[in-house]
Amino acid sequence: MSPALTLGEWLAAQDQVSPSQADPYDLQLAACHVLEFSRAQLIAHPEHKLDPALVRTLDGFATRLHAGEPLAYLFGSKEFWSLQLQVSPQVLIPRPETELLVELALAKATLPLSLNPTPTIVELGTGSGAISLALASELQGQGHVTLIATDSSAGAIAMAKANAKRLGLNVNFVQADWLAPFNNAIASMDLLISNPPYIAAKDPHLPALSFEPLSALVSGEDGLDAIRQICVQAAARLRPGGWLLLEHGYDQGQAVQKLLHNQGFQAVSTEADLAGLDRVTLGQQPNSADL
Ligand code: GLN
């Protein structure tokens, strides 16, 4: 019988795998998850013996990481805004930079709250529900905020609903293309937010994102097809004085500002994320008095 593999030997073997797209830190986190070890325990105990069944489980995770699959899909979960969200390959993995959109939406949400006792916030392309659930976790219990979120994917809506239920948060998730289900009669749409697909069809970064749903990433030749559609629909449906907030690529700030101006939005500005990159552009629907 061959001697059992030690943890140190298993980790060292992972360094030798080639080609590999695995981040060594992710490999350690996967091992921590399987062994139920803290990272400190993992590093402190290279002599820890692994029985063959455990090695098979570890190898299964490692193979997926070496192939470039994101850790969040291995675990089936990802933390966003301190919420633990379930994710699957049917939804985009929430990114830390998207927390900027949540922060800006919260800042604006306090405005309609003072103007309108029952504000409505609508999110388009919700995926796992991350943005709306983060907003719900902050705004629930503060007046009668209505949160509605759409996604064209049935799988995404099912995942978002499951996340809401598990977290005990109240968001109305609807399967729909952007604002299609809302007619002009909804005059009380106070805030419209979206992290839509915004990557150009031939962007060289796309191969690295091949495990995530293309429909959540790519939007036409210049990456702006979805944003163009949302700007037009938002201009027709947001209440006077309401705000549109859009996440976009680091080099799309100017283009998105232009799209908002073209639709008559005012006070248009672009905000940078923690990395200092242009990430969210926002604009206000003119008040009736300004028209
Ligand atoms: N921020 C994501 C990325 O570049 C893209 C998300 C999106 O298209 N909305 O990986």
Side-chain angles (χ1 to χ4, degrees), residues 248-260:
H248 52 71
Y250 70 97
D251 56 355
Q252 294 172 329
Q254 289 301 317
V256 176
Q257 285 205 11
K258 196 159 170 242
L259 291 172
L260 262 74

Side-chain angles (χ1 to χ4, degrees), residues 92 95 97 195-199 209 212 216-218 247 279:
L92 188 82
R95 308 287 204 263
E97 61 266 28
N195 172 19
Y198 53 70
I199 299 179
L209 303 172
E212 295 185 87
L217 292 166
V218 176
E247 180 174 321
R279 187 58 63 197

Side-chain angles (χ1 to χ4, degrees), residues 101-122 134-136 138-140 142-147 190-193 239 241-245 282:
L101 192 57
V102 176
E103 282 167 25
L104 294 169
L106 284 173
K108 293 301 176 203
T110 59
L111 294 176
L113 278 175
S114 58
L115 299 174
N116 178 355
T118 57
T120 299
I121 301 176
V122 177
L135 290 174
E138 298 292 335
L139 294 171
Q140 256 178 34
Q142 290 187 32
H144 299 280
V145 182
T146 302
L147 276 156
D190 298 276
L191 206 55
L192 193 56
I193 52 183
R239 74 151 169 81
W243 286 87
L244 171 64
L245 284 77
L282 53 156

Side-chain angles (χ1 to χ4, degrees), residues 184-247:
N184 297 341
I186 302 200
S188 63
M189 201 179 288
D190 298 276
L191 206 55
L192 193 56
I193 52 183
S194 185
N195 172 19
Y198 53 70
I199 299 179
K202 290 187 180 141
D203 190 291
H205 299 101
L206 273 178
L209 303 172
S210 63
F211 283 88
E212 295 185 87
L214 212 57
S215 62
L217 292 166
V218 176
S219 198
E221 233 169 89
D222 61 356
L224 291 169
D225 279 6
I227 290 182
R228 265 188 287 271
Q229 271 187 40
I230 293 171
C231 284
V232 172
Q233 296 188 8
R237 288 169 174 83
L238 261 176
R239 74 151 169 81
W243 286 87
L244 171 64
L245 284 77
L246 294 169
E247 180 174 321

